[in-house]
Amino acid sequence: ARVEQLTEVLRRKTNGNPFFLRQMMHAMVEQDVLWFDRQRRHWQWEMLGIEELDIDDDIVELFASKIAGLDAAMTGVLQVASCVGGRFDASLIAQALESSVQDVGGVLEDATRDGFLSRVSATAKERELGGVFRFLHERIQQAAYLSLDERERSRWHITLGRILRGRYDEQENAERIFDVVEQLGLSIDQLEPEERVDFAQLATSAAQRASAALAPDFAARCLEDASTALALDDEQAWTAHFELAF
């Protein structure tokens, strides 16, 4: 029963992630709440100490050090992927890095084997784009994202946003408008004047869709971003696109 209690605590704290479990075990030994009793020749542990051990607070720092120690190719792929959020396909990352889908796909597979990513189910079209992946845990994504400075993040967001804008087709993949607005909304000040007008139109449409889907907070943010984009232009632009501004 005591072993079952320990198992349940470890499962809860690591969410069943093998990588997290290994790190949790190391932390337990370092904090002297898990030790090997040489006289009895078996492991002992202090359940209260394990319950109080908050490895979650250190997980970002842990993964930041892990990512910093990776080779340049994998670090770069994980950093760009972290800017996408959620799920992403190999082709999107390859386009952003100006690399081949085959090369990036190989790195993504390596990252999956190393416990950073996992494959997710994909449509036939997504499989043609090299398959779809996601970070195994949001803390891993956060660590990769924080390893970039603000200028780098902005650069990748606008790069990804432009790629997604090129992919977007209202008839074929209307739901992808949110991905486009999400990325470009994080780098509005870097958009060209004509891009800002286009973005404002997309953000306004996204707001309408979000409102219809009962997502008022996201809808409000889209409208705010649309207004910000137009505000960066001169008064003439505001006049020309008055219907978007309001």
Side-chain angles (χ1 to χ4, degrees), residues 14-72:
T14 64
N15 200 30
N17 184 305
F19 188 92
F20 287 7
L21 179 59
R22 287 197 298 271
Q23 303 308 317
M24 181 75 177
M25 298 294 286
H26 284 305
M28 288 161 58
V29 172
E30 291 175 358
Q31 296 297 319
D32 294 323
V33 294
L34 174 68
W35 66 94
F36 186 73
D37 189 325
R38 296 185 180 278
Q39 290 185 336
R40 298 182 181 180
R41 301 183 65 80
H42 64 74
W43 288 93
Q44 299 273 12
W45 58 88
E46 180 189 342
M47 188 58 67
L48 181 60
I50 294 172
E51 284 278 12
E52 293 177 347
L53 190 63
D54 195 0
I55 192 173
D56 194 55
D57 287 344
D58 301 323
I59 209 70
V60 174
E61 183 177 345
L62 168 67
F63 275 110
S65 65
K66 291 287 184 182
I67 290 171
L70 297 174
D71 63 73

Side-chain angles (χ1 to χ4, degrees), residues 117-218:
L117 306 174
S118 66
R119 269 187 174 272
V120 299
S121 58
T123 64
K125 186 170 184 179
E126 287 174 330
R127 287 194 292 273
E128 293 176 1
L129 298 174
V132 179
F133 299 80
R134 67 174 179 83
F135 282 92
L136 201 58
H137 193 282
E138 63 180 8
R139 292 290 190 173
I140 305 177
Q141 179 187 356
Q142 184 180 5
Y145 192 71
L146 292 176
S147 69
L148 294 165
D149 62 37
E150 188 173 345
R151 180 183 56 81
E152 291 172 320
R153 291 175 207 159
S154 182
R155 177 168 66 92
W156 287 124
H157 282 306
I158 194 169
T159 298
L160 291 164
R162 283 168 172 162
I163 295 170
L164 291 171
R165 177 65 182 98
R167 288 184 179 186
Y168 174 68
D169 185 299
E170 187 175 0
Q171 302 303 318
E172 292 186 9
N173 51 12
E175 73 283 354
R176 294 301 182 190
I177 190 172
F178 299 119
D179 297 331
V180 179
V181 171
E182 183 78 25
Q183 290 296 324
L184 294 179
L186 292 169
S187 50
I188 297 174
D189 60 330
Q190 294 190 48
L191 294 173
E192 298 295 330
E194 63 274 14
E195 289 181 310
R196 289 198 287 271
V197 173
D198 179 64
F199 169 77
Q201 292 171 330
L202 289 172
T204 302
S205 296
Q208 293 169 346
R209 291 177 64 89
S211 181
L214 302 180
D217 290 343
F218 186 76

Side-chain angles (χ1 to χ4, degrees), residues 95-107:
Q95 283 182 267
L97 289 168
E98 299 182 347
S99 182
S100 70
V101 176
Q102 183 178 5
D103 287 345
V104 169
V107 175

